[in-house]
Amino acid sequence: MQISDLAAAALAVFAPPPSLTISEWADRYRYLSPEASAEPGKWSTARAPYQAGIMDAASDPETETIVLMTSAQIGKTAMIENVIGYYVTQDPSPILCLQPTLEMAATFSKDRLAPMLRDTPALRGLVKDARARDSGNTQLHKQFPGGHITMTGANSPANLASRPIRIVLCDEVDRYPESAGTEGDPVALATKRTATFWNRKLLVTSTPTIKNLSRIEQAFLGSDQRRYWVPCPDCGEHQLLKWANVKWDEGKTETAHYVCEHCGSCIDEQHKPAMLAAGEWRADAVFRGIAGFHLNEIYSLWRRWSEMAADFLTAKHAGSEMLKAFVNTSLGET
């Protein structure tokens, strides 16, 4: 081997990782686990194209805070996992993942994080098994080269007042208590831990609850308020997908379809993938370092419009509480 070859090999060992966005990292490295996904195997952002803009905001140097106000069934947890995987391998940092309760934090660690660490080759071996004698890791605190990840509950004030953190991931914030013990708002406490980092990131996600009381609604209103516009397959005009435009024949929810607000064309479910692929995020407010995203279940490739129609009729007949749950968890609205 030539000296130049040895030098090149030595430099390769110490070379920085390739510069990737989070969606590029996921497409290159991420594998979904069978116990955590209905579609295990190699990740593809093209499966749900709206996820790219959300994930990439979390690796954008100009963005400090990412707000995600959504329905269920849009892949939110998988996106959070990708953010974690990216910062473990590409930009090692201290990470805090905050769940509503300690029990939910333990469940996330066991059912979501551990399978990802096991089944994604780029992550395998970076975090030692908590059962290893010298690992220094527990179910709720895991070290990796250059950083660590702590998982805790918003109801645990002691765990919100320790180590400095660069990446804070606050999941389902509308389920947090008003105060972590007597210490104050859990999101504010977690955010204080990022004060020493000029390149900090705060990701706040939730399905919303009650208007004017919802944490995620207030955070979204303080963002640039991005929504996903998709084109009609017939007239080509872009529009937001709204529940008022989902129609079906009386008593036949299986006939559910979408009516274009521009040309009146009836759009079948089969057109949804192409519409999403041609869609784009558009902001309604000025960007000041806070990227906000709103998305409802009408966009989801894991939920059919006919299923939503059936759920809506069930909720409507069941009463106000069920209808409120439909508005919150299916439409992503307060």
Side-chain angles (χ1 to χ4, degrees):
M1 180 179 286
Q2 299 281 337
I3 293 177
S4 59
D5 293 333
L6 288 171
L11 288 172
V13 172
F14 298 102
S19 178
L20 300 171
T21 66
I22 293 179
S23 65
E24 290 170 341
W25 178 90
D27 284 333
R28 182 178 295 191
Y29 297 117
R30 178 74 196 278
Y31 283 80
L32 294 166
S33 304
E35 64 265 58
S37 174
E39 300 177 356
K42 192 76 168 64
W43 171 278
S44 174
T45 304
R47 182 74 174 90
Y50 54 75
Q51 293 179 334
I54 298 169
M55 291 189 292
D56 292 349
S59 54
D60 174 18
E62 301 300 318
T63 303
E64 183 174 281
T65 301
I66 304 93
V67 178
L68 185 53
M69 182 171 79
T70 73
S71 66
Q73 302 296 329
I74 56 92
K76 174 175 64 67
T77 303
M79 288 190 281
I80 292 174
E81 294 162 5
N82 288 341
V83 173
I84 292 172
Y86 174 89
Y87 280 104
V88 169
T89 63
Q90 302 297 297
D91 192 4
S93 307
I95 303 168
L96 173 67
C97 184
L98 187 61
Q99 297 287 340
T101 66
L102 270 174
E103 292 76 15
M104 293 177 72
T107 298
F108 175 83
S109 177
K110 177 183 176 183
D111 295 347
R112 305 296 302 228
L113 182 62
M116 179 178 72
L117 295 174
R118 179 196 69 208
D119 295 334
T120 297
L123 294 168
R124 195 179 300 147
L126 291 180
V127 179
K128 290 186 178 180
D129 194 307
R131 293 169 294 183
R133 183 174 300 176
D134 63 341
S135 72
N137 290 340
T138 66
Q139 187 179 61
L140 295 177
H141 180 72
K142 300 181 184 298
Q143 297 175 330
F144 52 85
H148 56 80
I149 177 169
T150 299
M151 291 151 284
T152 190
N155 60 346
S156 179
N159 291 335
L160 292 175
S162 51
R163 309 174 182 90
I165 296 292
R166 179 187 165 205
I167 312 296
V168 174
L169 311 172
C170 296
D171 194 17
E172 290 300 337
V173 296
D174 273 21
R175 277 73 184 169
Y176 288 6
E178 288 187 17
S179 178
T182 60
E183 301 298 320
D185 179 68
V187 177
L189 291 175
T191 303
K192 283 182 180 179
R193 293 174 58 174
T194 67
T196 58
F197 291 92
W198 63 269
N199 55 352
R200 64 184 181 178
K201 298 288 182 193
L202 173 65
L203 175 63
V204 185
T205 83
S206 193
T207 51
T209 49
I210 306 299
K211 189 171 182 62
N212 298 325
L213 296 177
S214 168
R215 271 194 181 93
I216 198 68
E217 178 192 46
Q218 293 304 310
F220 180 74
L221 292 176
S223 75
D224 62 357
Q225 301 178 36
R226 304 180 195 186
R227 293 177 172 86
Y228 203 68
W229 292 71
V230 296
C232 170
D234 290 329
C235 71
E237 290 292 328
H238 280 69
Q239 60 202 287
L240 297 172
L241 296 185
K242 304 172 184 175
W243 181 241
N245 293 332
V246 177
K247 307 291 184 181
W248 59 91
D249 298 338
E250 186 173 356
K252 298 181 179 180
T253 55
E254 68 274 11
T255 66
H257 55 277
Y258 197 86
V259 178
C260 174
E261 64 183 42
H262 298 287
C263 69
S265 174
C266 293
I267 303 169
D268 293 328
E269 188 88 35
Q270 65 184 7
H271 295 294
K272 192 193 292 187
M275 293 168 67
L276 293 179
E280 59 187 40
W281 288 104
R282 297 180 183 178
D284 290 335
V286 177
F287 175 72
R288 294 186 175 90
I290 305 175
F293 301 87
H294 178 265
L295 203 66
N296 62 49
E297 207 172 56
I298 307 171
Y299 292 87
S300 175
L301 288 167
W302 297 280
R303 287 283 285 167
R304 297 184 64 82
W305 296 332
S306 57
E307 295 172 331
M308 291 186 68
D311 286 351
F312 171 73
L313 291 181
T314 299
K316 185 177 179 181
H317 294 143
S320 60
E321 287 302 310
M322 286 288 288
L323 193 57
K324 182 174 72 173
F326 179 84
V327 171
N328 291 162
T329 63
S330 290
L331 303 186
E333 298 173 1
T334 52

